[in-house]
Structure formats: structure tokens, C-alpha cells
């Protein structure tokens, strides 16, 4: 008694055979403007398992081709989870359930941590076969018209699941989710500086691009951490003179300006330039680096290798300058040009600066990761101490002062802003460490990093 008898008959047959329903009863409920509601009680029998499944559905009444009253047929009449062409199947899952947890064993779900929804699904698919065997559940699920399977709707026999422990920290993840919530195109990543363990990954909107792991833009002055390391390797010290001019160039190349036209100081030091984010003070030192100095420094931060983190990421292999491209060299010295980074990469840069050692970020135990896990030399103790001094000065007297003022002596930061070709506004960047946690964030089209990305990073560090 529908307006599509053949289609309805086929669907009802599949309902009985595919879902293994041997009896069914529908009890009418109240009629509403949205249709006639009813409750279904279906008895299922499969593989020696018997179960009663009760759920609610609804239908609307129309008229058939002869004008007689008839049910307006859709697959959702059988079950509200069915779309056109979908069917219900009862059977045994291919694999046991995988529960993804944080480092302390707390379950992680997409409902509670929206930014992890796709990552959790990827981890389950990627590593289920490598985990200890569990017992698959028996139940009913939607087999979709496109060939994929939806979630289990009713369980006849519970399975015994397996656990996949990640490096994430539920408290830090929660703080990261809250810090980016409501932002448009923002992402943040946090790492343990001692091991590279990924503590948090969050981005907004959660249903959009993963700006934490897949960001692909110039990191602006946050990259001056790497440039400063290269200059320290070249023989400079934090107190070396590096005059800051309102505008300047190198080798008669491109003319550079500072964000503020009033930012200039003839007796500036490298530390002052770093803390105040003076572009000209840095590019003027390009001659110290030669053709390979910046690339050598980047290699010590692991930026010239492929990373296998445990889930898809944009790894940190920048296009480094050559001696025939001085303008590209000076652009990359201040985090622009052809450099492309993500908050994951810049959090790692801050972690390496803080500890002196490079630990490639990992989201799961290294034994599970199939691809190459990068290794790098890290920086010398002299360079590490210099970077920590300069990053600390950025907090005490520089551009990171306001947002990081509550953090103690074991902390450091660097602000940044940059835009891609054709972009009218700048992206705000910020990276910092406090204790054993490093974090980095980007907010698109948000201007200066200290006021846009800075509060996100500060909130994450405070939770660590």
C-alpha cells in the first residue's frame, strides 16, 4: 500500500533477508504535521544469536496513481537511518572495535573532541590489523548505496575491543579545542619537547581543513628561530650588533620593510631584532649564511626530511634558497618566499629550540609507524642557549610580551605574520614553549600573531 509497490517490495524483502528479521510489529503513534509516527519491534535471528530491536520511524500518506491513499515510499520508512538505495545488514563485523585513547588511557571520541573525528577514523583503519586481536561484534548496520558501511545500529553480541593508545593528552586537547572554537581557519598543535609526542591537534571549523597538520603557508617571523640558529652557527652571538633600519635590502635586491615604520635602531643586537621582529636586521646578515647556511640550519631542525607522524600531515620540507636567488634567501630568512609550514612543524621548531634536540613528532608508538621517522642532529648547546635567551626576550621585552607575560623563566616565544601571493590580509602565527610543552598556531586573515594566534598558544601551554 505505497505509491511505489515494486520499490517498496524489494526493500521489504531486503529488510527481511539482509537484516535477518523473522518477525516484525509496528505500533502506530500520534499523527503529526511531519507524518505518522510509529514504533517498530523487530525480532532478529543470526548465527545462533536472537535479539529484539525496537526503534521509532515515521511515514507520510499520499495518493497513488489511482488516487487511493498510499504510503509515500522512502527507504527511511523501514528505518530512519536509511537513505535511497541503502539496506540494513545483520552480520559479524570484519574487525573488532578499536577504542582510541590518549596517553593516560582516556577514550577519545569525535563527539567530545571534534578536531579528532577524522584522525580517530584514520587511526582505526590504519592500525587495526597491527593491534592484538579482539572479538568482532555481531549486529545490524546500514550498507550504503555507494558500497560503504555506516555505524552499527543494533548489537546482537558485543565484541571485545582493542585499544589504540595515542600520545595525545586529553586535558591539553580539550584546551586546544576550546582555544580555536569559533575561529575561522585556525589550527594549533602541541608537542612534548622531550620526545616529540603530539599532545594536541585542534582546528576550526572542525568539519573544514585540518589547519593544524595540513596548513600550507609561509610561517612568517616564527621561522626566524631557524634563521637565528643559522646566524649563531655562523659566529654571531645574541649580543652581536645587527642594525635595524626602517627599510633595507641585501646585494641590491628586494627592498624590505618592517611591520612598523617606526621600528629602527642603529645599535640593535641580534636579540633585539629577534624580540622586536625586525626584518631588516635579519636580512642584512644574509651574507653570513652563503648558499647553504640556512638549509644546514633547517636540516638540524629536521625540516629537510620526510616525516611519518602516524596520520597524514604536511611534512616540513621547505624549498630552500640557492646562491643564484638572493631575494629568495632573504625572504626565507624572515619566513616568507617559498617556505610552506604547518603549526605541527613550527611547534617542532620551538621544541627543538627549547631542548636542543630534534624529536620527530609522533602521534602513536613508533613501532606502529610504517614510514620513515626522521632523525636530525639538533642544535649545539651554545645555539640552544642563544635561542632560549632570544625567545625569552620576546616575552619579557618583545612582541610576545602581553600574551605570554604570565609564564615563567622556562618559557620562550616568537610571533609572526605572513601572506601568500594574492592574499590581501596576513595570517597570524605564534609559536612558544613553556616547560616541556611547545605549541604553535595559525589564524588566517587575522593580522599580527601576538593578538590572533598568541592567545591560542598561551591557552594550550597553560593546560600543559
Amino acid at each position: 500500500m505505497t505509491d511505489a509497490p515494486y520499490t517498496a517490495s524489494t526493500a521489504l524483502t531486503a529488510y527481511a533477508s539482509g537484516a535477518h528479521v523473522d518477525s516484525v510489529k509496528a505500533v502506530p503513534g500520534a499523527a503529526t504535521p511531519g507524518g505518522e509516527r510509529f514504533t517498530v519491534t523487530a525480532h532478529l535471528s543470526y548465527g545462533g544469536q536472537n535479539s529484539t530491536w525496537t526503534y521509532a520511524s515515521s511515514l507520510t500518506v499520499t495518493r497513488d496513481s489511482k488516487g487511493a491513499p498510499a504510503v509515500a515510499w522512502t527507504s527511511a520508512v523501514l528505518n530512519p537511518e536509511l537513505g535511497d538505495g541503502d539496506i540494513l545488514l545483520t552480520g559479524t563485523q570484519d574487525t573488532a572495535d578499536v577504542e582510541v585513547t590518549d596517553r593516560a588511557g582516556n577514550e577519545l571520541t569525535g563527539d567530545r573532541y571534534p578536531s579528532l573525528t577524522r584522525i580517530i577514523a584514520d587511526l582505526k583503519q590504519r592500525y587495526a590489523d597491527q593491534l592484538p586481536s579482539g572479538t568482532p561484534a555481531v549486529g545490524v548496520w546500514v550498507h550504503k548505496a555507494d558500497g560503504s558501511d555506516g555505524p552499527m545500529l543494533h548489537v546482537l553480541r558485543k565484541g571485545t575491543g582493542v585499544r589504540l593508545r595515542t600520545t595525545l593528552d586529553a586535558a591539553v586537547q580539550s584546551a586546544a579545542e576550546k582555544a580555536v572554537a569559533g575561529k575561522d581557519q585556525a589550527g594549533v598543535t602541541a608537542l612534548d619537547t622531550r620526545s616529540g609526542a603530539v599532545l594536541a591537534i585542534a582546528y576550526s571549523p572542525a568539519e573544514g581543513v585540518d589547519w593544524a597538520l595540513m596548513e600550507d603557508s609561509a610561517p612568517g617571523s616564527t621561522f626566524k628561530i631557524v634563521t637565528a640558529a643559522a646566524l649563531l652557527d655562523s659566529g654571531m652571538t645574541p649580543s652581536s650588533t645587527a642594525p635595524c633600519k626602517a627599510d633595507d635590502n641585501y646585494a641590491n635586491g628586494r627592498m624590505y620593510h618592517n611591520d612598523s615604520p617606526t621600528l629602527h635602531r642603529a645599535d640593535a643586537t641580534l636579540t633585539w631584532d629577534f624580540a622586536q621582529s625586525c626584518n631588516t636586521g635579519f636580512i642584512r646578515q644574509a651574507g653570513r649564511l652563503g648558499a647553504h647556511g640556512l638549509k644546514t640550519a633547517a636540516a638540524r631542525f629536521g625540516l629537510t626530511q620526510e616525516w611519518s607522524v602516524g596520520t597524514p600531515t604536511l611534512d616540513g620540507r621547505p624549498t630552500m634558497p640557492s646562491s643564484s636567488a638572493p631575494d629568495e634567501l632573504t625572504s626565507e630568512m624572515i619566513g616568507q618566499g617559498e617556505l610552506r609550514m604547518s603549526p605541527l612543524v613550527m611547534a617542532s621548531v620551538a621544541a627543538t629550540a627549547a631542548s636542543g634536540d630534534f624529536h620527530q613528532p609522533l602521534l602513536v608508538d613508533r613501532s606502529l609507524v610504517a614510514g620513515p621517522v626522521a632523525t636530525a642532529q639538533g642544535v649545539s648547546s651554545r645555539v640552544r642557549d642563544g635561542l632560549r635567551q632570544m625567545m625569552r626576550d620576546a616575552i619579557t621585552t618583545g612582541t610576545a610580551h602581553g600574551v605570554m607575560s604570565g609564564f615563567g623563566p622556562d618559557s620562550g616565544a616568537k610571533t609572526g605574520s605572513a601572506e601568500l601571493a594574492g592574499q590581501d590580509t596576513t595570517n597570524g602565527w605564534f609559536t612558544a614553549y613553556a616547560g616541556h610543552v611547545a605549541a604553535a598556531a595559525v589564524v588566517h586573515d587575522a593580522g599580527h600573531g601576538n593578538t590572533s594566534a598568541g592567545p591560542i598558544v598561551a591557552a594550550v601551554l597553560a593546560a600543559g
Side-chain angles (χ1 to χ4, degrees):
M1 298 179 66
T2 73
D3 61 353
Y6 176 80
T7 302
S9 177
T10 301
L12 286 162
T13 300
Y15 180 77
S17 60
H20 290 265
V21 176
D22 54 24
S23 67
V24 63
K25 181 179 180 181
V27 178
T32 68
E36 175 73 24
R37 298 183 181 278
F38 58 95
T39 300
V40 176
T41 301
H43 185 268
L44 301 92
S45 180
Y46 177 84
Q49 303 290 323
N50 293 280
S51 180
T52 299
W53 181 24
T54 301
Y55 60 89
S57 191
S58 64
L59 57 81
T60 57
V61 176
T62 184
R63 293 189 180 275
D64 62 17
S65 58
K66 298 179 180 179
V71 172
W73 181 255
T74 69
S75 297
V77 170
L78 286 177
N79 185 280
E81 298 298 324
L82 291 173
D84 290 340
D86 298 347
I87 60 172
L88 291 171
L89 291 180
T90 295
T92 304
Q93 285 185 312
D94 292 337
T95 58
D97 288 333
V98 177
E99 180 183 274
V100 177
T101 75
D102 78 344
R103 64 199 318 183
N106 301 302
E107 185 179 7
L108 302 172
T109 66
D111 290 340
R112 186 166 185 180
Y113 308 103
S115 299
L116 299 180
T117 301
R118 284 178 292 194
I119 293 173
I120 290 171
D122 173 71
L123 294 178
K124 288 182 176 182
Q125 181 179 16
R126 190 177 295 267
Y127 300 115
D129 293 342
Q130 299 182 52
L131 299 173
S133 299
T135 303
V138 175
V140 187
W141 63 84
V142 176
H143 183 69
K144 298 182 180 180
D146 62 8
S148 63
D149 289 328
M152 189 167 285
L153 302 178
H154 177 70
V155 177
L156 281 75
R157 186 193 71 203
K158 290 184 178 180
T160 57
V162 293
R163 290 185 134 200
L164 172 60
R165 190 182 297 267
T166 70
T167 62
L168 295 166
D169 183 295
V172 182
Q173 179 66 34
S174 182
E177 297 274 4
K178 184 177 179 180
V180 300
K183 302 288 192 303
D184 186 24
Q185 299 184 6
V188 63
T189 307
L191 306 174
D192 189 321
T193 63
R194 299 164 296 186
S195 63
V198 180
L199 301 177
I201 302 163
Y203 54 94
S204 179
E207 65 275 9
V209 175
D210 183 345
W211 304 111
L213 301 183
M214 305 302 290
E215 173 70 34
D216 186 22
S217 68
S221 291
T222 57
F223 194 76
K224 286 176 182 171
I225 297 171
V226 178
T227 307
L231 293 175
L232 293 172
D233 267 337
S234 76
M236 293 186 76
T237 69
S239 59
S240 293
T241 301
C244 175
K245 298 183 178 181
D247 50 66
D248 205 353
N249 62 9
Y250 169 72
N252 296 316
R254 173 185 168 184
M255 185 65 69
Y256 290 87
H257 309 276
N258 297 316
D259 285 348
S260 170
T262 62
L263 186 64
H264 56 84
R265 182 171 175 174
D267 62 347
T269 63
L270 185 62
T271 295
W272 191 91
D273 289 340
F274 185 95
Q276 303 301 324
S277 209
C278 175
N279 291 333
T280 60
F282 270 76
I283 64 103
R284 195 65 183 170
Q285 308 303 320
R288 293 178 173 272
L289 302 184
H292 305 293
L294 190 57
K295 183 175 182 178
T296 298
R300 292 195 174 108
F301 286 82
L303 302 184
T304 58
Q305 302 179 56
E306 180 181 353
W307 294 7
S308 298
V309 174
T311 196
T313 67
L314 179 79
D315 64 48
R317 292 178 290 176
T319 301
M320 301 307 296
S322 66
S323 57
S324 62
D327 283 351
E328 179 61 23
L329 168 60
T330 51
S331 291
E332 294 191 8
M333 287 180 71
I334 59 173
Q336 301 197 44
E338 295 187 21
L339 285 177
R340 298 292 183 268
M341 301 290 174
S342 69
L344 172 73
V345 174
M346 295 315 301
S348 178
V349 166
T352 301
S355 67
D357 300 317
F358 169 73
H359 301 285
Q360 192 225 265
L362 284 168
L363 181 61
V364 296
D365 188 87
R366 181 171 182 164
S367 64
L368 294 174
V369 178
V373 176
T375 59
Q377 180 180 348
V379 299
S380 67
S381 58
R382 173 182 167 275
V383 171
R384 177 202 62 202
D385 292 346
L387 292 176
R388 287 178 65 94
Q389 176 185 334
M390 289 189 281
M391 292 180 73
R392 182 61 190 161
D393 274 22
I395 292 176
T396 56
T397 64
T399 55
H401 171 66
V403 70
M404 291 287 292
S405 59
F407 290 85
D410 191 14
S411 64
K414 185 69 192 81
T415 59
S417 59
E419 64 280 332
L420 296 176
Q423 186 177 351
D424 295 330
T425 55
T426 58
N427 300 333
W429 283 84
F430 196 97
T431 190
Y433 67 87
H436 296 301
V437 179
V442 62
V443 182
H444 281 232
D445 305 316
H448 296 293
N450 61 336
T451 56
S452 58
I456 296 175
V457 169
V460 171
L461 294 179

